[in-house]
Amino acid sequence: MSPERYQRIRQVLERRQTDLTVCLENVHKPHNVSAVVRTCDAVGIHRVHTVWEKKYQFRRGTAMGSQQWVRQTNHDNINDAMAELKGQGMQVLVTHLSDTAVDFRDIDYTKPTAILFGQEKYGASDEAKAVADHDIVIPMMGMVQSLNVSVAAALVLYEAQRQRTIAGMYNTQQLPEEECQALAFQNGYP
Ligand code: SAM
């Protein structure tokens, strides 16, 4: 690997936001998972959480293999995922099509934040909604009720990226230096 490539990897790792994450709750279509993870990489998310519950009989891990730049933690159920995220001191936001949900642009994403996106057909579970700090909605003005989950994720994540850029949060390395070095080496350097 060339020194330029190494520099590029370092630059990416130094901007990773360890206190901003996404939880995909039984989102199972490979192209949706893949598109969300790609956006996560683009806004500097270090780790994505996935929940694939047995009752849905989805193929676990679909489409995540090639996403080498974003780490993945899988959970067997939503309660475990919520407990871990809350335990890390994250505010948990559940994207939800409800009249009482807060406009997604009215949230402070500079706080440690986990954003949950729900299943393609059924949306977020009641369990997730019960523990959420806020339900957030992307206002819809048309005939269709909802956006594709990967489109919804892109909109919310770029609002988070906008706020974090203004706050200068991409200028401070969050990943511990040892982890940065380990990841750079894992990805082929030197
Ligand atoms: N019938 C489902 C429901 O009532 O939630 C629709 C699910 S939607 C196709 C899949 C996911 O995309 C949702 O769970 C949510 O995470 C996200 N989503 C789509 N449109 C949204 C919107 N306007 N506001 C917030 N989240 C949205």
PDB file of all heavy atoms in Angstrom, residues 95-97 116-124 136-140 145-149 152, ligand 1:
ATOM      1  N   THR A  95     -36.641   6.441  14.655  1.00  0.00           N
ATOM      2  CA  THR A  95     -37.325   7.044  13.504  1.00  0.00           C
ATOM      3  C   THR A  95     -38.679   6.356  13.358  1.00  0.00           C
ATOM      4  O   THR A  95     -38.769   5.138  13.256  1.00  0.00           O
ATOM      5  CB  THR A  95     -36.494   6.885  12.221  1.00  0.00           C
ATOM      6  OG1 THR A  95     -36.144   5.514  12.061  1.00  0.00           O
ATOM      7  CG2 THR A  95     -35.240   7.719  12.280  1.00  0.00           C
ATOM      8  N   HIS A  96     -39.692   7.171  13.362  1.00  0.00           N
ATOM      9  CA  HIS A  96     -41.034   6.610  13.523  1.00  0.00           C
ATOM     10  C   HIS A  96     -42.048   7.553  12.899  1.00  0.00           C
ATOM     11  O   HIS A  96     -42.009   8.763  13.125  1.00  0.00           O
ATOM     12  CB  HIS A  96     -41.279   6.438  15.042  1.00  0.00           C
ATOM     13  CG  HIS A  96     -42.614   5.900  15.368  1.00  0.00           C
ATOM     14  ND1 HIS A  96     -43.332   6.287  16.462  1.00  0.00           N
ATOM     15  CD2 HIS A  96     -43.370   4.988  14.741  1.00  0.00           C
ATOM     16  CE1 HIS A  96     -44.471   5.642  16.495  1.00  0.00           C
ATOM     17  NE2 HIS A  96     -44.525   4.850  15.460  1.00  0.00           N
ATOM     18  N   LEU A  97     -42.950   6.975  12.142  1.00  0.00           N
ATOM     19  CA  LEU A  97     -43.957   7.791  11.455  1.00  0.00           C
ATOM     20  C   LEU A  97     -45.140   8.036  12.386  1.00  0.00           C
ATOM     21  O   LEU A  97     -46.145   7.344  12.304  1.00  0.00           O
ATOM     22  CB  LEU A  97     -44.436   7.038  10.210  1.00  0.00           C
ATOM     23  CG  LEU A  97     -43.311   6.611   9.266  1.00  0.00           C
ATOM     24  CD1 LEU A  97     -43.677   5.362   8.498  1.00  0.00           C
ATOM     25  CD2 LEU A  97     -42.989   7.747   8.331  1.00  0.00           C
ATOM     26  N   LEU A 116     -32.190   4.729  15.515  1.00  0.00           N
ATOM     27  CA  LEU A 116     -32.722   3.424  15.125  1.00  0.00           C
ATOM     28  C   LEU A 116     -33.645   3.560  13.916  1.00  0.00           C
ATOM     29  O   LEU A 116     -34.507   4.441  13.882  1.00  0.00           O
ATOM     30  CB  LEU A 116     -33.488   2.800  16.298  1.00  0.00           C
ATOM     31  CG  LEU A 116     -34.071   1.417  16.013  1.00  0.00           C
ATOM     32  CD1 LEU A 116     -33.815   0.475  17.186  1.00  0.00           C
ATOM     33  CD2 LEU A 116     -35.554   1.474  15.676  1.00  0.00           C
ATOM     34  N   PHE A 117     -33.416   2.685  12.965  1.00  0.00           N
ATOM     35  CA  PHE A 117     -34.267   2.611  11.777  1.00  0.00           C
ATOM     36  C   PHE A 117     -34.965   1.258  11.776  1.00  0.00           C
ATOM     37  O   PHE A 117     -34.356   0.228  12.097  1.00  0.00           O
ATOM     38  CB  PHE A 117     -33.431   2.800  10.503  1.00  0.00           C
ATOM     39  CG  PHE A 117     -32.826   4.176  10.447  1.00  0.00           C
ATOM     40  CD1 PHE A 117     -31.552   4.408  10.941  1.00  0.00           C
ATOM     41  CD2 PHE A 117     -33.538   5.252   9.944  1.00  0.00           C
ATOM     42  CE1 PHE A 117     -31.003   5.687  10.936  1.00  0.00           C
ATOM     43  CE2 PHE A 117     -33.006   6.538   9.933  1.00  0.00           C
ATOM     44  CZ  PHE A 117     -31.729   6.749  10.424  1.00  0.00           C
ATOM     45  N   GLY A 118     -36.245   1.287  11.395  1.00  0.00           N
ATOM     46  CA  GLY A 118     -37.058   0.084  11.541  1.00  0.00           C
ATOM     47  C   GLY A 118     -37.168  -0.751  10.277  1.00  0.00           C
ATOM     48  O   GLY A 118     -36.713  -0.372   9.193  1.00  0.00           O
ATOM     49  N   GLN A 119     -37.815  -1.860  10.463  1.00  0.00           N
ATOM     50  CA  GLN A 119     -37.966  -2.862   9.412  1.00  0.00           C
ATOM     51  C   GLN A 119     -38.765  -2.300   8.225  1.00  0.00           C
ATOM     52  O   GLN A 119     -39.653  -1.450   8.417  1.00  0.00           O
ATOM     53  CB  GLN A 119     -38.667  -4.091  10.017  1.00  0.00           C
ATOM     54  CG  GLN A 119     -38.368  -5.380   9.312  1.00  0.00           C
ATOM     55  CD  GLN A 119     -39.469  -5.737   8.351  1.00  0.00           C
ATOM     56  OE1 GLN A 119     -40.613  -5.314   8.480  1.00  0.00           O
ATOM     57  NE2 GLN A 119     -39.118  -6.508   7.339  1.00  0.00           N
ATOM     58  N   GLU A 120     -38.424  -2.778   7.044  1.00  0.00           N
ATOM     59  CA  GLU A 120     -38.984  -2.210   5.819  1.00  0.00           C
ATOM     60  C   GLU A 120     -40.512  -2.188   5.814  1.00  0.00           C
ATOM     61  O   GLU A 120     -41.128  -1.219   5.372  1.00  0.00           O
ATOM     62  CB  GLU A 120     -38.497  -2.991   4.598  1.00  0.00           C
ATOM     63  CG  GLU A 120     -37.055  -2.750   4.211  1.00  0.00           C
ATOM     64  CD  GLU A 120     -36.077  -3.705   4.874  1.00  0.00           C
ATOM     65  OE1 GLU A 120     -36.433  -4.310   5.903  1.00  0.00           O
ATOM     66  OE2 GLU A 120     -34.946  -3.846   4.364  1.00  0.00           O
ATOM     67  N   LYS A 121     -41.123  -3.261   6.315  1.00  0.00           N
ATOM     68  CA  LYS A 121     -42.581  -3.332   6.239  1.00  0.00           C
ATOM     69  C   LYS A 121     -43.245  -2.859   7.533  1.00  0.00           C
ATOM     70  O   LYS A 121     -44.227  -2.122   7.509  1.00  0.00           O
ATOM     71  CB  LYS A 121     -43.000  -4.772   5.934  1.00  0.00           C
ATOM     72  CG  LYS A 121     -44.473  -4.922   5.697  1.00  0.00           C
ATOM     73  CD  LYS A 121     -44.801  -6.277   5.110  1.00  0.00           C
ATOM     74  CE  LYS A 121     -46.305  -6.427   4.939  1.00  0.00           C
ATOM     75  NZ  LYS A 121     -46.660  -7.805   4.596  1.00  0.00           N
ATOM     76  N   TYR A 122     -42.684  -3.300   8.672  1.00  0.00           N
ATOM     77  CA  TYR A 122     -43.380  -3.086   9.945  1.00  0.00           C
ATOM     78  C   TYR A 122     -42.868  -1.873  10.734  1.00  0.00           C
ATOM     79  O   TYR A 122     -43.468  -1.487  11.732  1.00  0.00           O
ATOM     80  CB  TYR A 122     -43.268  -4.344  10.808  1.00  0.00           C
ATOM     81  CG  TYR A 122     -43.810  -5.564  10.105  1.00  0.00           C
ATOM     82  CD1 TYR A 122     -42.964  -6.572   9.640  1.00  0.00           C
ATOM     83  CD2 TYR A 122     -45.178  -5.685   9.865  1.00  0.00           C
ATOM     84  CE1 TYR A 122     -43.459  -7.675   8.971  1.00  0.00           C
ATOM     85  CE2 TYR A 122     -45.685  -6.789   9.191  1.00  0.00           C
ATOM     86  CZ  TYR A 122     -44.818  -7.789   8.749  1.00  0.00           C
ATOM     87  OH  TYR A 122     -45.316  -8.868   8.083  1.00  0.00           O
ATOM     88  N   GLY A 123     -41.746  -1.298  10.323  1.00  0.00           N
ATOM     89  CA  GLY A 123     -41.201  -0.156  11.065  1.00  0.00           C
ATOM     90  C   GLY A 123     -40.525  -0.583  12.361  1.00  0.00           C
ATOM     91  O   GLY A 123     -40.192  -1.756  12.553  1.00  0.00           O
ATOM     92  N   ALA A 124     -40.344   0.387  13.258  1.00  0.00           N
ATOM     93  CA  ALA A 124     -39.676   0.125  14.535  1.00  0.00           C
ATOM     94  C   ALA A 124     -40.636  -0.599  15.481  1.00  0.00           C
ATOM     95  O   ALA A 124     -41.848  -0.397  15.435  1.00  0.00           O
ATOM     96  CB  ALA A 124     -39.223   1.439  15.150  1.00  0.00           C
ATOM     97  N   ILE A 136     -38.419  10.398  16.223  1.00  0.00           N
ATOM     98  CA  ILE A 136     -38.188  11.482  15.263  1.00  0.00           C
ATOM     99  C   ILE A 136     -38.827  11.118  13.928  1.00  0.00           C
ATOM    100  O   ILE A 136     -38.892   9.944  13.543  1.00  0.00           O
ATOM    101  CB  ILE A 136     -36.685  11.806  15.088  1.00  0.00           C
ATOM    102  CG1 ILE A 136     -35.881  10.590  14.628  1.00  0.00           C
ATOM    103  CG2 ILE A 136     -36.115  12.382  16.372  1.00  0.00           C
ATOM    104  CD1 ILE A 136     -34.443  10.945  14.223  1.00  0.00           C
ATOM    105  N   VAL A 137     -39.271  12.144  13.223  1.00  0.00           N
ATOM    106  CA  VAL A 137     -39.941  11.921  11.943  1.00  0.00           C
ATOM    107  C   VAL A 137     -39.366  12.866  10.893  1.00  0.00           C
ATOM    108  O   VAL A 137     -38.969  13.990  11.202  1.00  0.00           O
ATOM    109  CB  VAL A 137     -41.477  12.110  12.088  1.00  0.00           C
ATOM    110  CG1 VAL A 137     -41.850  13.555  12.383  1.00  0.00           C
ATOM    111  CG2 VAL A 137     -42.224  11.608  10.862  1.00  0.00           C
ATOM    112  N   ILE A 138     -39.321  12.382   9.683  1.00  0.00           N
ATOM    113  CA  ILE A 138     -39.000  13.228   8.528  1.00  0.00           C
ATOM    114  C   ILE A 138     -40.356  13.620   7.942  1.00  0.00           C
ATOM    115  O   ILE A 138     -41.125  12.741   7.513  1.00  0.00           O
ATOM    116  CB  ILE A 138     -38.174  12.446   7.486  1.00  0.00           C
ATOM    117  CG1 ILE A 138     -36.888  11.926   8.116  1.00  0.00           C
ATOM    118  CG2 ILE A 138     -37.890  13.312   6.266  1.00  0.00           C
ATOM    119  CD1 ILE A 138     -36.253  10.777   7.352  1.00  0.00           C
ATOM    120  N   PRO A 139     -40.668  14.910   7.970  1.00  0.00           N
ATOM    121  CA  PRO A 139     -42.021  15.314   7.531  1.00  0.00           C
ATOM    122  C   PRO A 139     -42.320  14.839   6.106  1.00  0.00           C
ATOM    123  O   PRO A 139     -41.460  14.907   5.228  1.00  0.00           O
ATOM    124  CB  PRO A 139     -41.974  16.840   7.615  1.00  0.00           C
ATOM    125  CG  PRO A 139     -40.864  17.143   8.563  1.00  0.00           C
ATOM    126  CD  PRO A 139     -39.856  16.057   8.390  1.00  0.00           C
ATOM    127  N   MET A 140     -43.530  14.363   5.922  1.00  0.00           N
ATOM    128  CA  MET A 140     -43.965  13.845   4.626  1.00  0.00           C
ATOM    129  C   MET A 140     -45.131  14.713   4.146  1.00  0.00           C
ATOM    130  O   MET A 140     -46.099  14.912   4.876  1.00  0.00           O
ATOM    131  CB  MET A 140     -44.435  12.388   4.762  1.00  0.00           C
ATOM    132  CG  MET A 140     -43.423  11.425   5.347  1.00  0.00           C
ATOM    133  SD  MET A 140     -42.059  11.026   4.244  1.00  0.00           S
ATOM    134  CE  MET A 140     -42.869  10.088   2.967  1.00  0.00           C
ATOM    135  N   GLN A 145     -46.685   7.301   2.509  1.00  0.00           N
ATOM    136  CA  GLN A 145     -46.583   7.467   3.966  1.00  0.00           C
ATOM    137  C   GLN A 145     -45.146   7.507   4.450  1.00  0.00           C
ATOM    138  O   GLN A 145     -44.846   8.132   5.468  1.00  0.00           O
ATOM    139  CB  GLN A 145     -47.289   6.304   4.642  1.00  0.00           C
ATOM    140  CG  GLN A 145     -48.762   6.556   4.865  1.00  0.00           C
ATOM    141  CD  GLN A 145     -49.324   5.556   5.839  1.00  0.00           C
ATOM    142  OE1 GLN A 145     -48.957   4.375   5.782  1.00  0.00           O
ATOM    143  NE2 GLN A 145     -50.206   5.985   6.714  1.00  0.00           N
ATOM    144  N   SER A 146     -44.267   6.800   3.742  1.00  0.00           N
ATOM    145  CA  SER A 146     -42.900   6.676   4.274  1.00  0.00           C
ATOM    146  C   SER A 146     -41.890   6.682   3.149  1.00  0.00           C
ATOM    147  O   SER A 146     -42.215   6.443   1.982  1.00  0.00           O
ATOM    148  CB  SER A 146     -42.764   5.368   5.061  1.00  0.00           C
ATOM    149  OG  SER A 146     -42.922   4.273   4.187  1.00  0.00           O
ATOM    150  N   LEU A 147     -40.633   6.935   3.547  1.00  0.00           N
ATOM    151  CA  LEU A 147     -39.508   6.867   2.612  1.00  0.00           C
ATOM    152  C   LEU A 147     -38.887   5.482   2.678  1.00  0.00           C
ATOM    153  O   LEU A 147     -39.087   4.747   3.656  1.00  0.00           O
ATOM    154  CB  LEU A 147     -38.448   7.899   3.020  1.00  0.00           C
ATOM    155  CG  LEU A 147     -38.888   9.358   2.988  1.00  0.00           C
ATOM    156  CD1 LEU A 147     -37.892  10.230   3.741  1.00  0.00           C
ATOM    157  CD2 LEU A 147     -39.015   9.831   1.546  1.00  0.00           C
ATOM    158  N   ASN A 148     -38.096   5.161   1.685  1.00  0.00           N
ATOM    159  CA  ASN A 148     -37.262   3.973   1.792  1.00  0.00           C
ATOM    160  C   ASN A 148     -36.329   4.164   2.987  1.00  0.00           C
ATOM    161  O   ASN A 148     -35.840   5.277   3.236  1.00  0.00           O
ATOM    162  CB  ASN A 148     -36.455   3.798   0.491  1.00  0.00           C
ATOM    163  CG  ASN A 148     -35.419   2.712   0.624  1.00  0.00           C
ATOM    164  OD1 ASN A 148     -34.326   2.962   1.129  1.00  0.00           O
ATOM    165  ND2 ASN A 148     -35.744   1.520   0.204  1.00  0.00           N
ATOM    166  N   VAL A 149     -36.072   3.094   3.716  1.00  0.00           N
ATOM    167  CA  VAL A 149     -35.281   3.209   4.945  1.00  0.00           C
ATOM    168  C   VAL A 149     -33.886   3.795   4.702  1.00  0.00           C
ATOM    169  O   VAL A 149     -33.375   4.574   5.527  1.00  0.00           O
ATOM    170  CB  VAL A 149     -35.212   1.837   5.673  1.00  0.00           C
ATOM    171  CG1 VAL A 149     -34.488   0.783   4.847  1.00  0.00           C
ATOM    172  CG2 VAL A 149     -34.566   1.985   7.037  1.00  0.00           C
ATOM    173  N   ALA A 152     -34.284   7.544   4.291  1.00  0.00           N
ATOM    174  CA  ALA A 152     -34.525   8.155   5.601  1.00  0.00           C
ATOM    175  C   ALA A 152     -33.210   8.255   6.380  1.00  0.00           C
ATOM    176  O   ALA A 152     -32.903   9.290   6.992  1.00  0.00           O
ATOM    177  CB  ALA A 152     -35.552   7.329   6.376  1.00  0.00           C
TER     178      ALA A 152
HETATM  179  N1  SAM B   1     -45.139   0.831   7.655  1.00  0.00           N
HETATM  180  C1  SAM B   1     -43.879   1.150   8.284  1.00  0.00           C
HETATM  181  C2  SAM B   1     -44.104   2.023   9.507  1.00  0.00           C
HETATM  182  O1  SAM B   1     -45.242   2.338   9.801  1.00  0.00           O
HETATM  183  O2  SAM B   1     -43.154   2.381  10.191  1.00  0.00           O
HETATM  184  C3  SAM B   1     -42.996   1.835   7.282  1.00  0.00           C
HETATM  185  C4  SAM B   1     -41.585   1.483   7.444  1.00  0.00           C
HETATM  186  S1  SAM B   1     -40.477   2.510   6.492  1.00  0.00           S
HETATM  187  C5  SAM B   1     -40.652   1.911   4.890  1.00  0.00           C
HETATM  188  C6  SAM B   1     -38.949   1.796   7.033  1.00  0.00           C
HETATM  189  C7  SAM B   1     -38.201   2.652   7.992  1.00  0.00           C
HETATM  190  O3  SAM B   1     -37.715   3.818   7.330  1.00  0.00           O
HETATM  191  C8  SAM B   1     -38.945   3.160   9.196  1.00  0.00           C
HETATM  192  O4  SAM B   1     -39.015   2.218  10.230  1.00  0.00           O
HETATM  193  C9  SAM B   1     -38.089   4.356   9.586  1.00  0.00           C
HETATM  194  O5  SAM B   1     -36.943   3.902  10.253  1.00  0.00           O
HETATM  195  C10 SAM B   1     -37.676   4.912   8.250  1.00  0.00           C
HETATM  196  N2  SAM B   1     -38.549   5.965   7.724  1.00  0.00           N
HETATM  197  C11 SAM B   1     -39.105   5.996   6.511  1.00  0.00           C
HETATM  198  N3  SAM B   1     -39.767   7.138   6.325  1.00  0.00           N
HETATM  199  C12 SAM B   1     -39.633   7.853   7.456  1.00  0.00           C
HETATM  200  C13 SAM B   1     -40.097   9.149   7.880  1.00  0.00           C
HETATM  201  N4  SAM B   1     -40.827   9.913   7.104  1.00  0.00           N
HETATM  202  N5  SAM B   1     -39.759   9.568   9.111  1.00  0.00           N
HETATM  203  C14 SAM B   1     -39.002   8.798   9.925  1.00  0.00           C
HETATM  204  N6  SAM B   1     -38.537   7.569   9.569  1.00  0.00           N
HETATM  205  C15 SAM B   1     -38.847   7.115   8.356  1.00  0.00           C
END
